[in-house]
Each structure stands twice: as C-alpha cells, then as structure tokens.
Amino acid sequence: MRHALIRTATLLCLALPLTAAAQAPVVNLYSARHYQTDEALYANFTRTTGIRINRIEAGDEALLERLRTEGRASPADVLLLVDAARLWKAQSEGLFSPVRSESLEAKIPASLRAPATADGIAWFGISTRARVIIVNRSRIAPDTVSNYADLANPALKGKVCTRSAAHPYMLSLIAAMIEHHGEEAATQWARGVVANFARAPRGGDTDQIKAVASGECAVALSNTYYLVRIMRSDKPADRDTMAKLQVIWPDQGGHGAHINVTGGGVLRHAKNPEAALRFLEYLASDDAQRYLADGNNEWPAVPGVRIDNPALAALGAFKADPLPVAALGRSQAAAARLIDRVGWR
Ligand code: FE
C-alpha cells in the first residue's frame, strides 16, 4: 500500500512538469474591441511574456450572453468591453473577480475604473474616447452649436442625425446628462433632439460623419477615434469628408466633453487568473498605452504617457467631463427608460 502511494506520488511528480511543458501559458480573452490595429498590442504581450492569447471577438452584449450561458465552465479569463456602462453591467452581474494590483491602482485614475470594494477593483479603463459634435460648415455656422444642449435647439429642426440611442455610446451620453442635469431635464433635452431629427436614427458613428459631410444632416455626434481614423486616411473621399466638417468640443464652459472608456477585468471563473492579471497590467504599460493611442486613436488612460499620433493631437486640448465613468452605469437603466419614453430608437 505504502509502495503504491509512493509510486503514485512519483508518477504525479513526473507528470506535472510534462503537463506544464505541454501547455504553454495562455490567457483566454473575450473582447468587444473591434479594431484591427489591436493585433500588434496582443502580439507584443506574447513576445514579452511568452503568454499566448486566445481571443474571441464579438459585440458587448453577445459576449455577456455567452459568459452567462457558459457560467463556471467558461474558458474566458479576461473580458474587454468598449463602454463603461457595459463594464458596469458585467460587474453588477457578478462576472468579474475584483483584483488588487498596485501598478493598476497607481496608474489608472480612480475616475476611469470601478469603485474599490473590500475585494478589490472589478474593472479598469485602459483608454479613453470623447463624444464630440460635428457640423457641416456649409449648412450651419459652426458657432451656433457649442453644447450637447444645443442639439435640442428648435433652430436645428430637421438638421440633426444620430445613431440609435439604444447603442451604449448614446446611452452613456444620456446617462451623463441624467447625472448632471437630472432625469426630467435630460428627458426634455432628448425630446428636443428627437424633434430635430433629419432622419430616423440609423448606422454607426462613421455613418453619422458621412451623413453630415454629404449635407443630409447639419449636425451629428461621433466618438473621436472614428473622426481621427478619417483624418489619417489618404483616400480622396475621406479628405473630402473632413474638409466639409467642423469638430466641436462640447460643454467647454460647463461640465466638459463626455468621456468613455474601453476597459477590462479578470473574470470570476478565470482558469488562468495570474496570466489574466498580468495581461491587464500589461494594458496599462507605456507600450500598450501607446499601441492603443496610436493604433486606434484613443487617449491613454494612464496620465503622462507620451504618444505619437499627430491626427489625434490635431483635435487639440479640451476640457473632459470629470464624471467618474462608473456613474454612467449607475444611470444606465434610467437612460434606457428615457429613450423609450421619447422614441429615440
Ligand atoms: Fe466603436
């Protein structure tokens, strides 16, 4: 019996290093980021750490649904989402395993991450984007629009285009309006915007940019990286588009331009939690922050990282809304009710 035990123990000792050698360290990533330029970001992680990345990309909602269905059996270690409200939703469903990380806590500002609890922090923003107003210079004088509130000005009747407000980018902007002005005032504003529509909401941000350039609409909203992508393009059509537009930094005399994040966290059922945390910490490294800024035209979440993106820099300095992005999650349900009331789908 004793011999048998010893023999089993010996076999186990032999077997473990073999298994470890056979399985290179890996991190399984579910990502809602939809930007081809992220390839270099991931390759650099594998090159520097030896940890392979298995990646599944899908929309935010599809990934959340998949995680719910998979439950404990989920192979996913890290979840990356492209909107603070979605991160908050994942957190409130208990999908994340809060972590403690000296480097992440030192680098990522408190306003760009989940609030700390006794267990740690559920998710961290890794890059920021702003939601700006774009106008067609030949259709209206650009100085007639300077705030989000102006989109509801009756003078813009028949001139405003937006994507569906059911999209997270819009829901989060509306959540910020609720946080700053209250639900009643935000509802009135939304009614005013809907009354000014040039057409029923459709398409994504790039479609709004094109509709403004074509003159179908005079005013629209877009995340900054879609604009910078066009600004960096050599295609004549894209140069033509930018020549017709003026980018307006909203609310510079008030709360500041609406900011959102891409961010991520370690998942509750992660099978590789150490590699997962290492990957998150990597995303806050100077190298990764530069990949995010230069590749997808976002701003680093980590203050003071030097980037080399002249088109992004050309957007100029601006006042960003200091509202903690976690608050966008807090008012998300109210924002969803609001858009139903005013018919902004
Ligand atoms: Fe996007």
Side-chain angles (χ1 to χ4, degrees):
M1 187 62 194
R2 192 150 179 237
H3 287 298
L5 262 180
I6 289 169
R7 212 170 59 218
T8 311
T10 312
L11 279 174
L12 274 175
C13 289
L14 282 172
L16 277 175
L18 280 176
T19 319
Q23 295 178 340
V26 69
V27 63
N28 294 314
L29 171 65
Y30 281 13
S31 173
R33 286 181 60 85
H34 50 94
Y35 320 116
Q36 282 174 6
T37 46
D38 284 353
E39 296 295 338
L41 171 77
Y42 300 134
N44 185 54
F45 174 72
T46 301
R47 199 160 50 235
T48 55
T49 63
I51 301 172
R52 207 158 39 86
I53 299 176
N54 293 323
R55 185 159 38 116
I56 286 179
E57 288 185 350
D60 301 70
E61 197 45 59
L63 289 177
L64 293 181
E65 191 51 44
R66 185 167 179 148
L67 286 165
R68 285 178 206 121
T69 308
E70 290 172 342
R72 303 179 162 277
S74 176
D77 298 308
V78 172
L79 176 65
L80 287 186
L81 297 173
V82 294
D83 185 282
R86 291 295 168 115
L87 288 159
W88 179 85
K89 192 174 183 198
Q91 178 191 354
S92 59
E93 290 183 23
L95 294 175
F96 289 125
S97 170
V99 296
R100 290 206 174 85
S101 160
E102 262 181 43
S103 77
L104 283 169
E105 285 170 50
K107 287 179 177 181
I108 308 292
S111 65
L112 301 180
R113 63 192 198 209
T117 66
D119 297 330
I121 294 171
W123 51 267
F124 295 85
I126 55 167
S127 63
T128 68
R129 58 277 296 280
R131 199 138 184 85
V132 293
I133 298 172
I134 42 175
V135 302
N136 181 316
R137 274 190 264 232
S138 64
R139 284 209 57 195
I140 53 167
D143 61 2
T144 54
V145 184
S146 55
N147 301 313
Y148 297 114
D150 295 331
L151 299 180
N153 183 340
L156 293 180
K157 194 165 181 64
K159 296 192 165 115
V160 176
C161 281
T162 75
R163 70 191 302 161
S164 167
H167 190 275
Y169 299 163
M170 291 304 307
L171 280 173
S172 284
L173 173 63
I174 293 164
M177 299 293 280
I178 293 172
E179 288 284 329
H180 288 315
H181 309 291
E183 204 168 333
E184 182 55 41
T187 304
Q188 274 180 29
W189 170 76
R191 276 192 213 290
V193 177
V194 169
N196 283 341
F197 280 167
R199 65 176 189 197
R202 67 164 185 267
D205 283 7
T206 302
D207 299 301
Q208 313 312 314
I209 297 169
K210 287 182 174 158
V212 171
S214 77
E216 184 181 5
C217 338
V219 191
L221 291 161
S222 174
N223 277 356
T224 37
Y225 55 87
Y226 294 109
L227 278 163
V228 178
R229 195 182 294 168
I230 298 175
M231 287 163 74
R232 290 176 75 173
S233 165
D234 291 330
K235 290 183 196 156
D238 289 334
R239 289 180 174 271
D240 202 42
T241 293
M242 285 316 298
K244 296 194 168 105
L245 303 181
Q246 173 95 24
V247 178
I248 312 272
W249 284 108
D251 293 61
Q252 296 301 285
H255 292 286
H258 172 67
I259 295 297
N260 210 323
V261 294
T262 284
V266 176
L267 287 158
R268 183 152 64 110
H269 300 301
K271 310 296 183 283
N272 306 288
E274 280 168 30
L277 184 55
R278 208 156 160 206
F279 177 68
L280 273 193
E281 288 175 341
Y282 161 75
L283 291 176
S285 69
D286 284 15
D287 272 354
Q289 289 287 299
R290 271 192 288 270
Y291 276 114
L292 291 161
D294 298 338
N296 191 47
N297 306 308
E298 294 169 273
W299 287 281
V302 179
V305 174
R306 288 173 60 134
I307 58 172
D308 180 24
N309 188 329
L312 188 57
L315 283 181
F318 65 98
K319 177 181 176 183
D321 187 349
L323 181 74
V325 293
L328 306 176
R330 184 170 64 204
S331 285
Q332 196 76 180
R337 285 194 303 272
L338 185 157
I339 64 163
D340 281 338
R341 276 201 304 277
V342 304
W344 192 350
R345 287 255 175 198

